[in-house]
Amino acid sequence: MQKPSNLLPEGFHDALPPYAEAASRLERDVLDTLASHGYARVTPPLAEYEDGLTERMQGGSRSDLIRLVDPISQRTLALRPDMTMQIGRIAATSMADRPRPLRLSYSGQVLKLRSGQLQPERSRLQIGAELIGADSVVAASEIVSVAIEALERAGVSGITVDFTMPDLIDILAAGPLPLPQAQIAEVRGELDMKDAGGLNSMGATGYLPLIEATGPFDDAMAKLRAFDGDGLLGSRLDGVAEIAASIRGKAELTLDPTERHGFEYQNWFGFTLYAESFIGALGRGGSYEIAQADGETEAAVGFSLYPDPLINAGFGAKTSEQIFLPLGHDRNAAAKLRATGWRTVAALSEKDQAQTLGCSHILNGDQPEPL
């Protein structure tokens, strides 16, 4: 007989005990936190028509889509690489007539065509919240605060919030530091790498102070205000500073005003969530616009968490005592134990052994007895 294969596609894996259960518990904790702030859950489908999905990607990489042909409609489908754009579709169509601001939450797997070295998984859990109909400082402050609270509810400590201004280079390039359209992306790339030499070689020396305006929030903000000599960025800097003030003491605060990776469709404000002992971001958020059918746009602000690293590290796991139920056990006693939080494992034959099945106790009469 041929041995069954356990080979899975690259970037995919099974979630086994206890990680699968920990993932469900962590997901529930985060969603309960969002619900407590009035965010109602929606569940969009895993696949949509490719053309409809790509129209709403707003800078997202279309080459990252997994595509297939629908045998019923013969149209090309795409598996979602991100759920935010789907929430935007729902808000603009099915829930277009709901009062604003509209608070929505979501959770589900997203799939990508390719993986990276730091994130080899092509399928990962995304949990988030979107506040639609406003992107004011008050709305943004709520989103950042709720994101921190959701991570704390999941057991995370040592949280850092790194703020950014995704459209900063566009504003400067169209105003005091003009750049040819073709050069804007190159300047962004050099700033992302903090490459002063690259900016010098391009003749974009006016952007050099932005490299220094990075780091602990207060110092970086002071340097950014000094850089903004003509006050062009005043209202945006004030807004980001006010958001930071609203969460001061809840997390460490840093500022990287030119960070663009992961913020392809955000506009005036963005933030990344980090935590001690974890490499890479646990989530991102910020302000953006949702396209409407009439060509207009609607302001929104939100965040997404990617909790797989937390799950792999044991967050969400809960130890519960497990009791072995021998053949002929008292069913009423077993039901009462389950109602108080015990896990029961019932014997199916005389061969079943409590310790072999991972039990710490055995039911003796109507009482649990330690092994």
Side-chain angles (χ1 to χ4, degrees):
M1 180 182 292
Q2 184 177 3
K3 184 179 179 180
S5 173
N6 196 33
L7 182 64
L8 294 174
E10 181 180 348
F12 295 89
H13 72 283
D14 295 316
L16 304 177
Y19 298 103
E21 185 172 349
S24 295
R25 183 172 288 109
L26 188 148
E27 180 182 14
R28 185 74 267 158
D29 286 344
V30 172
L31 288 171
D32 284 348
T33 301
L34 303 182
S36 72
H37 286 273
Y39 288 80
R41 187 174 180 182
V42 294
T43 305
L46 180 63
E48 293 193 26
Y49 290 121
E50 179 198 18
D51 51 3
L53 195 61
T54 55
E55 283 176 2
R56 298 188 301 276
M57 291 187 75
Q58 299 183 28
S61 176
R62 299 184 182 189
S63 63
D64 210 18
L65 292 174
I66 298 176
R67 297 172 171 85
L68 64 154
V69 175
D70 178 14
I72 297 176
S73 67
Q74 294 299 305
R75 293 177 61 183
T76 301
L77 305 182
L79 304 181
R80 64 186 181 211
D82 179 87
M83 293 182 73
T84 306
M85 63 194 79
Q86 294 184 298
I87 308 306
R89 172 183 57 77
I90 290 172
T93 55
S94 304
M95 304 186 77
D97 296 331
R98 298 291 182 93
R100 265 46 174 176
L102 180 64
R103 291 175 170 86
L104 300 176
S105 67
Y106 56 89
S107 178
Q109 292 290 323
V110 293
L111 297 101
K112 295 195 174 186
L113 183 63
R114 300 175 183 84
S115 59
Q117 291 183 340
L118 292 179
Q119 295 179 329
E121 297 299 330
R122 295 163 62 195
S123 173
R124 59 177 177 166
L125 178 63
Q126 180 181 359
I127 310 174
E130 309 299 326
L131 203 169
I132 297 157
D135 67 346
S136 63
V137 168
V138 175
S141 297
E142 176 179 307
I143 279 291
V144 180
S145 179
V146 170
I148 294 171
E149 185 177 333
L151 284 176
E152 290 176 336
R153 176 76 176 271
V156 179
S157 59
I159 299 170
T160 294
V161 179
D162 185 44
F163 291 97
T164 187
M165 301 171 65
D167 64 358
L168 175 62
I169 305 307
D170 294 315
I171 293 172
L172 296 174
L177 297 174
L179 290 172
Q181 188 64 36
Q183 198 177 36
I184 293 177
E186 295 180 46
V187 170
R188 283 200 192 110
E190 300 299 340
L191 287 168
D192 278 345
M193 295 184 292
K194 305 296 183 283
D195 187 352
L199 290 174
N200 274 316
S201 65
M202 294 170 59
T205 55
Y207 289 85
L208 287 171
L210 294 176
I211 295 178
E212 295 298 322
T214 301
F217 187 86
D218 292 337
D219 291 344
M221 179 58 75
K223 292 175 181 177
L224 198 54
R225 289 191 184 279
F227 167 79
D228 184 35
D230 57 4
L232 176 66
L233 307 175
S235 61
R236 290 172 182 258
L237 298 182
D238 290 343
V240 174
E242 191 173 337
I243 297 166
S246 73
I247 60 165
R248 194 172 294 276
K250 298 180 181 179
E252 293 294 321
L253 306 178
T254 58
L255 176 64
D256 186 349
T258 61
E259 175 64 44
R260 280 284 293 181
H261 179 69
F263 296 98
E264 288 79 12
Y265 61 85
Q266 276 84 7
N267 43 44
W268 72 273
F269 157 73
F271 66 99
T272 305
L273 297 160
Y274 299 96
E276 60 185 6
S277 303
F278 289 94
I279 298 174
L282 293 178
R284 289 188 176 87
S287 59
Y288 60 100
E289 293 183 337
I290 297 172
Q292 306 291 311
D294 59 4
E296 298 296 319
T297 59
E298 182 174 26
V301 60
F303 71 88
S304 293
L305 302 180
Y306 300 96
D308 285 352
L310 300 177
I311 296 164
N312 295 336
F315 286 76
K318 182 179 180 182
T319 302
S320 116
E321 293 184 296
Q322 196 157 274
I323 186 168
F324 181 74
L325 307 178
L327 290 174
H329 64 271
D330 184 333
R331 294 181 181 276
N332 290 330
K336 290 178 181 178
L337 288 171
R338 285 192 291 269
T340 59
W342 286 83
R343 295 187 178 193
T344 64
V345 178
L348 302 179
S349 74
E350 294 289 354
K351 295 180 180 180
D352 291 343
Q353 299 293 318
Q355 290 180 327
T356 303
L357 295 176
C359 296
S360 59
H361 293 70
I362 187 170
L363 183 62
N364 187 358
D366 62 355
Q367 295 297 318
E369 183 178 290
L371 293 176

